[in-house]
Amino acid sequence: MPVPVPRQRVNAPDGAMVAEAAAAAGADLTLLVIEDDPAGMFTVPELLDASGGRVRIRTARNLTEAARLLTDDVHCVLVDLALPGARPGDDPMEPLHHVLRIAPRHPVLALTPSGDAALSAAAVRAGAQDHLCREELDGPLLSRAIRYAVERKRADSVQVKLAESRLRAQENARLERGLLPTPLLQGSDLRFAARYRPGRSRALLGGDFYDTVRTPDGTVHAMIGDVCGHGPDEAALGVELRIAWRALTLAGLCGDELLSTLQQVLEHERDNEEIFATLCTVDIAPDGRRAGLCLAGHPSPLIARSGRAAQLLPYEDGGPALGLLPRARWPRRQVELGGAWSLMMYTDGLIEGRSAGPGSPRLGQDGMVEMVNRQLSAGLGGEELLEAAVAEVRELNGGELTDDVAVLLLARERSAASGRRGRPGGHRRPPSAGSVPPGL
Protein backbone atom coordinates (compact mmCIF):
# COMPACT_ATOMS: atom_id res chain seq x y z
CA MET A 1 0.00 0.00 0.00
CA PRO A 2 1.66 3.26 -1.08
CA VAL A 3 2.17 6.11 1.35
CA PRO A 4 1.74 9.83 0.46
CA VAL A 5 5.14 11.40 -0.22
CA PRO A 6 6.13 14.98 0.59
CA ARG A 7 7.28 17.31 -2.18
CA GLN A 8 10.92 18.25 -2.02
CA ARG A 9 11.90 21.80 -1.06
CA VAL A 10 14.15 23.33 -3.69
CA ASN A 11 17.36 25.22 -2.93
CA ALA A 12 17.33 24.24 0.73
CA PRO A 13 20.21 25.71 2.73
CA ASP A 14 21.33 22.28 3.97
CA GLY A 15 21.00 20.53 0.63
CA ALA A 16 17.97 18.39 -0.12
CA MET A 17 15.34 18.55 2.61
CA VAL A 18 12.72 15.99 3.42
CA ALA A 19 9.27 17.12 2.27
CA GLU A 20 7.08 19.11 4.62
CA ALA A 21 3.73 18.29 3.04
CA ALA A 22 2.53 14.90 1.85
CA ALA A 23 2.05 14.49 -1.90
CA ALA A 24 -0.62 12.37 -3.50
CA ALA A 25 -0.25 8.59 -3.41
CA GLY A 26 1.73 7.26 -6.34
CA ALA A 27 3.95 10.33 -6.76
CA ASP A 28 7.31 9.76 -8.42
CA LEU A 29 10.37 9.41 -6.18
CA THR A 30 14.12 9.39 -6.63
CA LEU A 31 16.26 6.92 -4.67
CA LEU A 32 20.00 7.30 -4.25
CA VAL A 33 21.58 3.86 -3.84
CA ILE A 34 25.07 3.72 -2.32
CA GLU A 35 26.60 0.29 -2.96
CA ASP A 36 29.70 -0.99 -4.69
CA ASP A 37 28.08 -3.23 -7.35
CA PRO A 38 26.03 -1.06 -9.72
CA ALA A 39 25.97 -3.97 -12.17
CA GLY A 40 24.26 -6.12 -9.58
CA MET A 41 20.71 -5.81 -8.27
CA PHE A 42 20.19 -2.14 -9.19
CA THR A 43 20.61 -2.31 -12.95
CA VAL A 44 17.27 -0.74 -13.92
CA PRO A 45 16.88 3.05 -13.94
CA GLU A 46 13.47 2.94 -12.23
CA LEU A 47 10.84 0.75 -10.55
CA LEU A 48 7.04 0.79 -10.64
CA ASP A 49 5.03 0.21 -7.49
CA ALA A 50 1.46 -1.08 -7.13
CA SER A 51 -0.05 2.38 -7.49
CA GLY A 52 1.82 3.10 -10.72
CA GLY A 53 4.24 5.56 -9.14
CA ARG A 54 7.81 5.46 -10.39
CA VAL A 55 10.91 5.14 -8.25
CA ARG A 56 13.93 6.41 -10.15
CA ILE A 57 17.22 4.78 -9.22
CA ARG A 58 20.44 6.76 -8.96
CA THR A 59 23.56 4.79 -7.96
CA ALA A 60 26.82 5.77 -6.31
CA ARG A 61 29.83 3.44 -5.91
CA ASN A 62 31.11 5.05 -2.71
CA LEU A 63 30.41 7.76 -0.19
CA THR A 64 32.42 10.39 -2.04
CA GLU A 65 30.39 9.89 -5.19
CA ALA A 66 27.20 9.84 -3.11
CA ALA A 67 27.91 13.32 -1.76
CA ARG A 68 28.12 14.63 -5.33
CA LEU A 69 24.88 12.91 -6.40
CA LEU A 70 22.91 13.97 -3.32
CA THR A 71 20.97 16.78 -5.00
CA ASP A 72 17.68 18.44 -4.12
CA ASP A 73 15.56 16.00 -6.11
CA VAL A 74 16.63 12.94 -4.09
CA HIS A 75 13.83 11.75 -1.80
CA CYS A 76 15.47 8.80 -0.05
CA VAL A 77 18.91 7.20 0.40
CA LEU A 78 19.68 3.47 0.54
CA VAL A 79 23.18 2.75 1.89
CA ASP A 80 24.89 -0.65 1.90
CA LEU A 81 26.54 -1.20 5.28
CA ALA A 82 28.97 -3.63 3.62
CA LEU A 83 30.72 -1.03 1.46
CA PRO A 84 34.32 -2.06 0.63
CA GLY A 85 37.30 -0.32 2.15
CA ALA A 86 36.55 -1.07 5.77
CA ARG A 87 39.50 -2.27 7.81
CA PRO A 88 39.35 -4.87 10.61
CA GLY A 89 38.03 -3.26 13.76
CA ASP A 90 36.25 -0.44 11.92
CA ASP A 91 32.74 0.43 13.01
CA PRO A 92 30.32 -1.41 10.68
CA MET A 93 27.90 1.48 11.12
CA GLU A 94 30.32 4.07 9.74
CA PRO A 95 28.73 4.19 6.22
CA LEU A 96 25.37 4.93 7.82
CA HIS A 97 26.85 7.54 10.18
CA HIS A 98 28.50 9.24 7.22
CA VAL A 99 25.24 9.39 5.25
CA LEU A 100 23.33 10.75 8.24
CA ARG A 101 25.94 13.51 8.57
CA ILE A 102 25.77 14.61 4.92
CA ALA A 103 21.99 14.08 4.55
CA PRO A 104 20.46 14.87 7.97
CA ARG A 105 17.06 15.76 6.50
CA HIS A 106 16.69 12.78 4.16
CA PRO A 107 15.06 9.48 5.06
CA VAL A 108 17.70 6.75 5.03
CA LEU A 109 17.37 2.99 4.55
CA ALA A 110 20.13 0.59 5.62
CA LEU A 111 20.95 -2.45 3.46
CA THR A 112 22.15 -5.31 5.65
CA PRO A 113 22.99 -9.01 5.16
CA SER A 114 20.12 -11.41 5.77
CA GLY A 115 20.11 -12.88 9.24
CA ASP A 116 22.17 -10.10 10.89
CA ALA A 117 19.38 -8.92 13.18
CA ALA A 118 21.79 -7.14 15.54
CA LEU A 119 23.22 -4.98 12.75
CA SER A 120 19.73 -4.20 11.43
CA ALA A 121 18.52 -3.12 14.88
CA ALA A 122 21.66 -1.03 15.40
CA ALA A 123 21.03 0.76 12.09
CA VAL A 124 17.52 1.77 13.14
CA ARG A 125 18.78 2.92 16.54
CA ALA A 126 21.44 5.01 14.84
CA GLY A 127 18.87 6.94 12.80
CA ALA A 128 17.84 4.87 9.76
CA GLN A 129 14.11 4.88 9.05
CA ASP A 130 14.19 1.15 8.24
CA HIS A 131 16.47 -1.71 7.16
CA LEU A 132 16.30 -4.05 4.18
CA CYS A 133 17.95 -7.45 3.83
CA ARG A 134 19.99 -7.82 0.66
CA GLU A 135 18.94 -11.43 -0.03
CA GLU A 136 15.21 -10.65 0.35
CA LEU A 137 15.09 -7.44 -1.65
CA ASP A 138 12.67 -7.08 -4.56
CA GLY A 139 11.00 -4.23 -6.40
CA PRO A 140 7.66 -4.05 -4.54
CA LEU A 141 9.33 -4.39 -1.16
CA LEU A 142 11.84 -1.66 -2.01
CA SER A 143 9.28 0.82 -3.34
CA ARG A 144 7.04 0.27 -0.33
CA ALA A 145 9.94 0.69 2.11
CA ILE A 146 10.97 3.92 0.40
CA ARG A 147 7.52 5.43 0.71
CA TYR A 148 7.18 4.39 4.34
CA ALA A 149 10.63 5.81 5.11
CA VAL A 150 9.77 9.16 3.51
CA GLU A 151 6.57 9.39 5.51
CA ARG A 152 8.29 8.42 8.77
CA LYS A 153 10.97 11.05 8.24
CA ARG A 154 8.34 13.66 7.56
CA ALA A 155 6.49 12.74 10.76
CA ASP A 156 9.75 12.84 12.74
CA SER A 157 10.55 16.26 11.30
CA VAL A 158 7.12 17.58 12.28
CA GLN A 159 7.56 16.28 15.83
CA VAL A 160 10.98 17.90 16.15
CA LYS A 161 9.66 21.24 14.90
CA LEU A 162 6.69 21.01 17.24
CA ALA A 163 8.96 20.34 20.22
CA GLU A 164 11.23 23.23 19.23
CA SER A 165 8.22 25.52 18.85
CA ARG A 166 6.97 24.58 22.30
CA LEU A 167 10.39 25.25 23.84
CA ARG A 168 10.59 28.66 22.13
CA ALA A 169 7.08 29.51 23.32
CA GLN A 170 7.98 28.53 26.89
CA GLU A 171 11.18 30.58 26.76
CA ASN A 172 9.35 33.59 25.32
CA ALA A 173 6.67 33.31 28.01
CA ARG A 174 9.29 33.23 30.76
CA LEU A 175 11.07 36.20 29.19
CA GLU A 176 7.87 38.24 28.86
CA ARG A 177 6.80 37.46 32.43
CA GLY A 178 10.23 38.56 33.61
CA LEU A 179 9.81 41.90 31.81
CA LEU A 180 6.60 42.76 33.67
CA PRO A 181 7.32 45.05 36.64
CA THR A 182 7.50 44.15 40.31
CA PRO A 183 6.31 47.18 42.31
CA LEU A 184 8.79 48.54 44.86
CA LEU A 185 6.55 49.76 47.69
CA GLN A 186 8.39 48.48 50.74
CA GLY A 187 7.50 50.69 53.71
CA SER A 188 4.48 52.33 52.08
CA ASP A 189 0.94 52.10 53.47
CA LEU A 190 -0.50 52.37 49.95
CA ARG A 191 -2.15 49.35 48.40
CA PHE A 192 -1.42 48.28 44.82
CA ALA A 193 -3.27 46.26 42.19
CA ALA A 194 -2.78 45.92 38.43
CA ARG A 195 -4.21 44.21 35.37
CA TYR A 196 -2.45 43.77 32.04
CA ARG A 197 -3.98 42.42 28.81
CA PRO A 198 -1.95 42.53 25.56
CA GLY A 199 -3.80 43.03 22.31
CA ARG A 200 -1.68 40.50 20.40
CA SER A 201 -3.02 36.97 20.29
CA ARG A 202 -1.08 34.51 22.51
CA ALA A 203 1.25 37.28 23.73
CA LEU A 204 2.05 38.21 27.32
CA LEU A 205 3.46 41.65 26.63
CA GLY A 206 2.29 44.54 24.48
CA GLY A 207 3.14 48.21 23.93
CA ASP A 208 1.56 49.30 27.24
CA PHE A 209 3.78 49.56 30.31
CA TYR A 210 3.52 50.62 33.94
CA ASP A 211 5.59 50.72 37.11
CA THR A 212 5.49 51.87 40.75
CA VAL A 213 8.40 52.63 43.09
CA ARG A 214 8.92 54.28 46.48
CA THR A 215 11.97 56.52 46.84
CA PRO A 216 13.93 56.86 50.10
CA ASP A 217 12.15 60.11 51.03
CA GLY A 218 8.84 58.21 51.23
CA THR A 219 7.38 59.51 47.95
CA VAL A 220 5.52 56.90 45.90
CA HIS A 221 5.97 57.33 42.15
CA ALA A 222 3.64 55.62 39.67
CA MET A 223 3.67 55.61 35.90
CA ILE A 224 1.64 54.17 33.06
CA GLY A 225 2.35 54.54 29.34
CA ASP A 226 1.51 53.36 25.86
CA VAL A 227 3.76 53.02 22.82
CA CYS A 228 1.75 53.47 19.61
CA GLY A 229 1.07 50.02 18.19
CA HIS A 230 1.05 46.71 20.05
CA GLY A 231 3.53 44.41 18.28
CA PRO A 232 6.78 42.92 19.57
CA ASP A 233 8.83 46.01 18.62
CA GLU A 234 6.47 48.25 20.57
CA ALA A 235 6.58 45.84 23.52
CA ALA A 236 10.38 45.97 23.55
CA LEU A 237 10.35 49.79 23.43
CA GLY A 238 7.81 49.91 26.25
CA VAL A 239 10.06 47.77 28.42
CA GLU A 240 13.02 50.08 27.70
CA LEU A 241 11.00 53.15 28.67
CA ARG A 242 9.75 51.51 31.86
CA ILE A 243 13.24 50.51 32.96
CA ALA A 244 14.56 53.97 32.09
CA TRP A 245 11.73 55.59 34.09
CA ARG A 246 12.51 53.47 37.15
CA ALA A 247 16.23 54.25 36.97
CA LEU A 248 15.65 57.98 36.50
CA THR A 249 13.07 58.09 39.29
CA LEU A 250 15.36 56.33 41.74
CA ALA A 251 18.09 58.77 40.69
CA GLY A 252 15.88 61.67 41.84
CA LEU A 253 14.41 63.00 38.57
CA CYS A 254 10.75 64.05 38.48
CA GLY A 255 8.27 65.96 36.36
CA ASP A 256 9.45 67.79 33.25
CA GLU A 257 13.11 66.83 33.73
CA LEU A 258 12.25 63.13 33.87
CA LEU A 259 9.91 63.25 30.85
CA SER A 260 12.43 65.21 28.78
CA THR A 261 15.05 62.55 29.46
CA LEU A 262 12.57 59.77 28.62
CA GLN A 263 11.87 61.49 25.32
CA GLN A 264 15.59 61.35 24.52
CA VAL A 265 15.56 57.62 25.28
CA LEU A 266 12.57 57.16 22.98
CA GLU A 267 14.18 59.13 20.16
CA HIS A 268 17.35 57.02 20.35
CA GLU A 269 15.58 53.64 20.61
CA ARG A 270 12.64 53.91 18.20
CA ASP A 271 12.82 52.45 14.70
CA ASN A 272 11.40 55.52 12.95
CA GLU A 273 10.38 59.07 13.76
CA GLU A 274 6.66 58.26 13.63
CA ILE A 275 6.83 56.20 16.81
CA PHE A 276 5.60 58.02 19.92
CA ALA A 277 4.49 57.13 23.44
CA THR A 278 1.92 58.58 25.80
CA LEU A 279 2.68 58.72 29.51
CA CYS A 280 1.06 59.57 32.83
CA THR A 281 3.13 59.98 35.99
CA VAL A 282 2.10 60.74 39.55
CA ASP A 283 4.30 61.30 42.57
CA ILE A 284 2.42 60.89 45.84
CA ALA A 285 3.75 62.80 48.85
CA PRO A 286 4.91 60.79 51.88
CA ASP A 287 1.80 61.85 53.86
CA GLY A 288 -0.39 60.45 51.04
CA ARG A 289 -2.59 63.54 50.83
CA ARG A 290 -1.11 65.28 47.77
CA ALA A 291 0.34 64.27 44.43
CA GLY A 292 2.06 65.78 41.45
CA LEU A 293 0.55 64.88 38.08
CA CYS A 294 2.24 64.98 34.65
CA LEU A 295 0.44 64.01 31.44
CA ALA A 296 2.18 63.45 28.12
CA GLY A 297 -0.71 62.93 25.71
CA HIS A 298 -2.20 60.36 28.08
CA PRO A 299 -5.71 60.03 29.59
CA SER A 300 -6.05 61.54 33.04
CA PRO A 301 -6.29 59.17 36.05
CA LEU A 302 -9.54 58.46 37.86
CA ILE A 303 -9.80 59.17 41.58
CA ALA A 304 -12.41 57.80 44.00
CA ARG A 305 -12.52 59.41 47.45
CA SER A 306 -14.29 57.83 50.38
CA GLY A 307 -18.03 58.55 50.23
CA ARG A 308 -17.82 60.39 46.89
CA ALA A 309 -18.26 59.35 43.26
CA ALA A 310 -15.16 58.70 41.17
CA GLN A 311 -14.05 61.48 38.83
CA LEU A 312 -11.19 62.30 36.50
CA LEU A 313 -8.26 64.35 37.74
CA PRO A 314 -7.66 67.65 35.92
CA TYR A 315 -6.00 67.25 32.53
CA GLU A 316 -5.97 70.77 31.06
CA ASP A 317 -2.25 71.30 31.72
CA GLY A 318 -1.01 68.18 29.95
CA GLY A 319 1.81 68.16 27.41
CA PRO A 320 2.27 66.29 24.11
CA ALA A 321 3.10 62.63 23.77
CA LEU A 322 6.79 61.71 23.96
CA GLY A 323 8.48 61.80 20.58
CA LEU A 324 6.20 64.34 18.87
CA LEU A 325 7.88 67.68 19.63
CA PRO A 326 11.65 67.92 20.09
CA ARG A 327 11.58 70.69 22.75
CA ALA A 328 8.29 69.97 24.47
CA ARG A 329 7.57 70.72 28.11
CA TRP A 330 5.38 68.86 30.57
CA PRO A 331 4.08 70.94 33.49
CA ARG A 332 3.59 69.22 36.83
CA ARG A 333 0.20 69.91 38.40
CA GLN A 334 -0.37 69.60 42.14
CA VAL A 335 -3.58 67.77 43.10
CA GLU A 336 -5.21 67.17 46.48
CA LEU A 337 -5.99 63.52 47.19
CA GLY A 338 -7.44 63.69 50.70
CA GLY A 339 -7.30 61.19 53.52
CA ALA A 340 -8.72 57.99 52.02
CA TRP A 341 -8.78 57.48 48.26
CA SER A 342 -8.07 55.15 45.37
CA LEU A 343 -6.38 56.27 42.16
CA MET A 344 -6.84 54.34 38.91
CA MET A 345 -4.38 54.85 36.05
CA TYR A 346 -5.11 53.20 32.70
CA THR A 347 -4.20 53.12 29.01
CA ASP A 348 -6.53 54.02 26.16
CA GLY A 349 -7.27 50.36 25.46
CA LEU A 350 -9.75 50.56 28.35
CA ILE A 351 -11.75 53.43 26.83
CA GLU A 352 -11.46 52.88 23.07
CA GLY A 353 -13.52 49.71 22.92
CA ARG A 354 -17.13 49.91 21.72
CA SER A 355 -19.91 50.74 24.16
CA ALA A 356 -22.50 48.32 22.74
CA GLY A 357 -20.85 45.97 20.29
CA PRO A 358 -19.43 46.50 16.79
CA GLY A 359 -20.43 49.77 15.12
CA SER A 360 -21.50 51.49 18.35
CA PRO A 361 -19.74 54.59 19.75
CA ARG A 362 -16.55 54.27 21.76
CA LEU A 363 -16.89 53.80 25.49
CA GLY A 364 -14.76 56.88 26.16
CA GLN A 365 -13.72 58.35 29.49
CA ASP A 366 -17.27 59.33 30.47
CA GLY A 367 -18.51 55.78 29.87
CA MET A 368 -15.58 54.41 31.85
CA VAL A 369 -16.30 56.73 34.82
CA GLU A 370 -19.95 55.66 34.82
CA MET A 371 -18.95 51.99 34.67
CA VAL A 372 -16.43 52.28 37.52
CA ASN A 373 -18.90 54.17 39.73
CA ARG A 374 -21.44 51.42 39.18
CA GLN A 375 -18.87 48.79 40.17
CA LEU A 376 -17.79 50.79 43.23
CA SER A 377 -21.45 51.04 44.29
CA ALA A 378 -21.59 47.25 44.08
CA GLY A 379 -18.80 47.07 46.66
CA LEU A 380 -15.95 46.12 44.32
CA GLY A 381 -12.41 47.29 44.93
CA GLY A 382 -8.79 46.39 44.27
CA GLU A 383 -8.17 43.30 42.16
CA GLU A 384 -11.90 42.60 41.88
CA LEU A 385 -12.59 46.09 40.58
CA LEU A 386 -9.90 45.91 37.90
CA GLU A 387 -10.94 42.42 36.86
CA ALA A 388 -14.57 43.48 36.57
CA ALA A 389 -13.68 46.65 34.65
CA VAL A 390 -11.60 44.83 32.03
CA ALA A 391 -14.21 42.08 31.70
CA GLU A 392 -17.07 44.54 31.24
CA VAL A 393 -15.15 46.60 28.68
CA ARG A 394 -14.55 43.42 26.68
CA GLU A 395 -18.24 42.46 26.99
CA LEU A 396 -19.40 45.91 25.87
CA ASN A 397 -17.03 45.74 22.93
CA GLY A 398 -18.71 42.55 21.77
CA GLY A 399 -15.51 40.48 21.75
CA GLU A 400 -11.77 40.66 22.30
CA LEU A 401 -10.17 44.08 22.51
CA THR A 402 -7.67 44.72 19.73
CA ASP A 403 -5.58 47.19 21.70
CA ASP A 404 -3.40 46.54 24.75
CA VAL A 405 -4.96 47.28 28.13
CA ALA A 406 -3.05 48.17 31.29
CA VAL A 407 -4.72 49.35 34.52
CA LEU A 408 -3.19 49.96 37.92
CA LEU A 409 -4.77 51.03 41.18
CA LEU A 410 -3.17 52.72 44.17
CA ALA A 411 -5.22 53.27 47.31
CA ARG A 412 -4.90 54.71 50.78
CA GLU A 413 -7.26 53.34 53.42
CA ARG A 414 -7.03 56.05 56.06
CA SER A 415 -5.00 59.02 57.13
CA ALA A 416 -1.74 58.60 59.01
CA ALA A 417 -3.30 60.21 62.11
CA SER A 418 -6.17 57.73 62.29
CA GLY A 419 -3.67 54.93 61.81
CA ARG A 420 -1.62 56.10 64.79
CA ARG A 421 -4.69 56.22 67.00
CA GLY A 422 -5.36 52.60 66.18
CA ARG A 423 -2.44 51.30 68.33
CA PRO A 424 -1.07 52.27 71.71
CA GLY A 425 2.10 54.29 71.47
CA GLY A 426 1.24 55.62 68.03
CA HIS A 427 3.08 52.91 66.08
CA ARG A 428 1.55 50.98 63.21
CA ARG A 429 3.16 48.28 61.14
CA PRO A 430 2.77 49.27 57.44
CA PRO A 431 0.95 46.64 55.35
CA SER A 432 2.73 45.06 52.42
CA ALA A 433 1.79 46.00 48.88
CA GLY A 434 -1.17 43.92 47.76
CA SER A 435 -4.81 44.21 46.75
CA VAL A 436 -6.78 47.35 47.45
CA PRO A 437 -9.46 46.57 50.03
CA PRO A 438 -13.04 46.43 48.69
CA GLY A 439 -15.10 49.59 48.92
CA LEU A 440 -12.42 52.02 47.71
Side-chain angles (χ1 to χ4, degrees):
M1 178 178 179
V3 177
V5 180
R7 290 191 179 91
Q8 190 69 18
R9 179 184 291 176
V10 181
N11 296 327
D14 295 316
M17 297 179 65
V18 71
E20 294 180 354
D28 294 347
L29 298 175
T30 298
L31 172 70
L32 175 61
V33 178
I34 309 172
E35 64 104 22
D36 67 323
D37 186 16
M41 68 179 67
F42 298 104
T43 56
V44 295
E46 63 182 40
L47 300 171
L48 289 177
D49 59 21
S51 64
R54 295 181 299 174
V55 179
R56 300 185 183 90
I57 305 297
R58 185 181 299 175
T59 58
R61 295 174 180 267
N62 50 54
L63 295 172
T64 301
E65 187 177 351
R68 180 173 57 82
L69 297 176
L70 190 64
T71 54
D72 290 348
D73 59 340
V74 172
H75 295 87
C76 187
V77 180
L78 174 64
V79 56
D80 187 356
L81 299 188
L83 286 174
R87 295 170 295 184
D90 284 354
D91 183 2
M93 302 294 296
E94 180 54 32
L96 175 61
H97 292 322
H98 183 88
V99 171
L100 293 174
R101 285 194 297 269
I102 65 174
R105 299 181 183 273
H106 285 76
V108 178
L109 296 170
L111 189 61
T112 62
S114 180
D116 196 339
L119 184 61
S120 300
V124 174
R125 286 196 302 270
Q129 270 59 58
D130 205 345
H131 67 89
L132 296 170
C133 297
R134 175 184 293 273
E135 292 78 9
E136 301 172 0
L137 193 62
D138 59 20
L141 176 62
L142 176 60
S143 60
R144 185 169 63 249
I146 294 168
R147 294 189 182 276
Y148 280 136
V150 170
E151 184 65 14
R152 286 194 198 99
K153 187 66 175 181
R154 186 196 68 83
D156 291 344
S157 178
V158 169
Q159 289 297 321
V160 169
K161 290 179 180 179
L162 180 60
E164 291 174 348
S165 177
R166 287 173 176 168
L167 286 175
R168 284 194 299 269
Q170 292 170 0
E171 291 173 356
N172 290 338
R174 286 195 295 270
L175 176 61
E176 289 182 324
R177 281 194 296 269
L179 293 175
L180 290 173
T182 300
L184 299 180
L185 289 174
Q186 186 68 31
S188 172
D189 62 355
L190 299 185
R191 299 283 184 166
F192 172 88
R195 276 292 177 271
Y196 192 96
R197 189 186 188 96
R200 288 184 296 143
S201 174
R202 292 176 295 186
L204 295 177
L205 205 63
D208 291 0
F209 53 99
Y210 67 89
D211 205 351
T212 307
V213 299
R214 181 177 184 267
T215 48
D217 64 354
T219 302
V220 172
H221 303 261
M223 170 273 291
I224 195 165
D226 181 4
V227 178
C228 63
H230 49 268
D233 293 335
E234 290 78 11
L237 183 55
V239 170
E240 292 181 71
L241 292 175
R242 180 187 69 78
I243 294 173
W245 176 86
R246 174 175 285 201
L248 294 170
T249 299
L250 293 175
L253 273 66
C254 186
D256 180 75
E257 185 180 12
L258 186 149
L259 292 177
S260 297
T261 308
L262 279 181
Q263 174 156 282
Q264 294 180 39
V265 173
L266 173 66
E267 291 171 346
H268 284 296
E269 298 296 332
R270 63 186 177 183
D271 292 334
N272 61 75
E273 295 183 355
E274 297 181 356
I275 299 296
F276 63 90
T278 66
L279 200 70
C280 170
T281 68
V282 295
D283 53 277
I284 302 169
D287 64 5
R289 304 186 65 87
R290 294 170 301 279
L293 171 66
C294 286
L295 296 174
H298 200 87
S300 183
L302 182 71
I303 187 166
R305 299 180 178 92
S306 181
R308 297 162 58 181
Q311 62 183 13
L312 297 172
L313 287 179
Y315 54 85
E316 293 81 3
D317 297 333
L322 303 182
L324 292 183
L325 300 176
R327 288 178 293 276
R329 287 293 176 261
W330 295 272
R332 177 179 175 274
R333 178 164 186 156
Q334 189 80 9
V335 294
E336 294 294 327
L337 300 178
W341 49 265
S342 58
L343 184 70
M344 190 174 84
M345 304 168 68
Y346 53 92
T347 57
D348 59 8
L350 191 69
I351 59 177
E352 290 190 348
R354 300 296 175 178
S355 58
S360 63
R362 304 282 185 184
L363 178 64
Q365 287 180 291
D366 292 340
M368 179 200 65
V369 173
E370 180 182 350
M371 176 189 70
V372 170
N373 275 320
R374 187 171 61 254
Q375 293 166 345
L376 288 172
S377 299
L380 299 181
E383 298 280 357
E384 291 182 347
L385 174 63
L386 299 189
E387 189 71 34
V390 174
E392 184 169 343
V393 166
R394 179 182 176 277
E395 182 180 350
L396 292 172
N397 188 60
E400 289 293 344
L401 301 167
T402 57
D403 198 5
D404 306 323
V405 176
V407 194
L408 70 85
L409 198 64
L410 289 169
R412 187 167 183 262
E413 298 181 52
R414 61 183 69 84
S415 66
S418 64
R420 284 194 297 271
R421 287 195 297 269
R423 287 181 179 270
H427 297 291
R428 182 167 59 94
R429 179 167 55 91
S432 59
S435 300
V436 184
L440 287 180

